[in-house]
Amino acid sequence: MEDEDLDQLLDEVEQRFCRPETAPGQPGSLKPEQPMSIVDDIDALLEEFLEEDSDDSPQRKTQPFPKGTPGEKKPSSQSGGRKCCPVFLGGSSVTSGVGTATSKRSCDQLRCTSCDFRVLTFDDCEWDSSCDYLFLRNNMPDRQKLRAKLKKRRGLRAFACQCSWFSTSEPTDLRDQPQLRWVCGKHQD
Ligand SMILES: [Zn+2]
Ligand SMILES: [Zn+2]
């Protein structure tokens, strides 16, 4: 339909502008010379036509989508987010964020692969020496209850999941703490 309309329009344009060229009285002229103004007029007319048409004509797909081969799905971990590499645990004065070898930031998106809990952090706190596995087991992830075994200690940051706990002031590479089964769970910034 669209093409027919366009053809019709072109015919109309041709008739309107080109008829004088084929009119009697100019028998020798085989090459019609079109002044630029007429070409401009045709362009303007066509533009008008296309603009009008685009309003109520739905987008049509000329080619069917090629079917993707199964098993070629991209891993979902590729869709946004960054992971710390290496992963650092830092004190309260250490900026939280994505850690790299040159930017030792404290990871605030930690997850424990052993108990599958999110690792909670407490700024300016240190775990009391009486903190143990049973205490975490009973009180995770209630921050208020966990404070029972946290001591105020400026500059330190306390970390805990349901099975492990750790306090530090300096950026600490997680690889140096093999007892902690924590991984960076990806940052969304
Ligand atoms: Zn991280
Ligand atoms: Zn854990």
Side-chain angles (χ1 to χ4, degrees):
M1 276 300 165
E2 248 175 286
D3 289 345
E4 268 175 47
D5 288 352
L6 194 63
D7 281 349
Q8 216 179 344
L9 186 88
L10 284 171
D11 283 351
E12 220 176 283
V13 170
E14 222 171 297
Q15 273 168 27
R16 197 183 300 176
F17 293 109
C18 305
R19 193 177 287 156
E21 306 295 343
T22 54
Q26 293 180 310
S29 159
L30 288 172
K31 227 181 183 181
E33 280 176 44
Q34 283 188 348
M36 282 309 286
S37 66
I38 289 181
V39 176
D40 284 351
D41 283 348
I42 293 171
D43 282 345
L45 208 71
L46 278 172
E47 222 166 83
E48 211 176 281
F49 174 80
L50 290 172
E51 249 169 45
E52 258 174 45
D53 189 63
S54 64
D55 274 304
D56 51 8
S57 84
Q59 289 259 329
R60 256 172 287 179
K61 280 181 180 138
T62 47
Q63 279 187 348
F65 250 71
K67 288 221 165 122
T69 39
E72 255 195 325
K73 277 181 189 166
K74 281 182 185 172
S76 56
S77 60
Q78 296 291 309
S79 59
R82 290 204 294 155
K83 278 191 171 187
C84 296
C85 185
V87 184
F88 289 102
L89 307 175
S92 61
S93 60
V94 178
T95 312
S96 293
V98 182
T100 66
T102 51
S103 172
K104 297 181 175 181
R105 301 199 169 179
S106 180
C107 182
D108 54 359
Q109 299 291 330
L110 292 164
R111 190 176 61 80
C112 180
T113 57
S114 181
C115 67
D116 210 35
F117 265 67
R118 245 196 90 122
V119 175
L120 297 184
T121 62
F122 301 86
D123 280 7
D124 294 316
C125 289
E126 179 185 30
W127 289 110
D128 190 83
S129 54
S130 64
C131 178
D132 60 12
Y133 176 82
L134 204 65
F135 171 76
L136 293 173
R137 174 106 208 146
N138 291 333
N139 298 294
M140 225 27 211
D142 189 325
R143 295 184 71 96
Q144 284 310 311
K145 287 183 178 175
L146 287 166
R147 287 196 177 274
K149 295 224 182 282
L150 283 165
K151 292 189 294 185
K152 270 264 174 213
R153 191 70 92 83
R154 205 169 173 77
L156 269 75
R157 185 176 278 153
F159 299 78
C161 60
Q162 204 193 26
C163 66
S164 317
W165 63 101
F166 188 73
S167 315
T168 187
S169 60
E170 296 300 310
T172 306
D173 193 326
L174 248 190
R175 290 172 298 190
D176 298 332
Q177 305 294 328
Q179 81 279 11
L180 300 171
R181 308 284 300 277
W182 297 345
V183 292
C184 174
K186 215 159 73 174
H187 300 253
Q188 291 304 322
D189 44 48

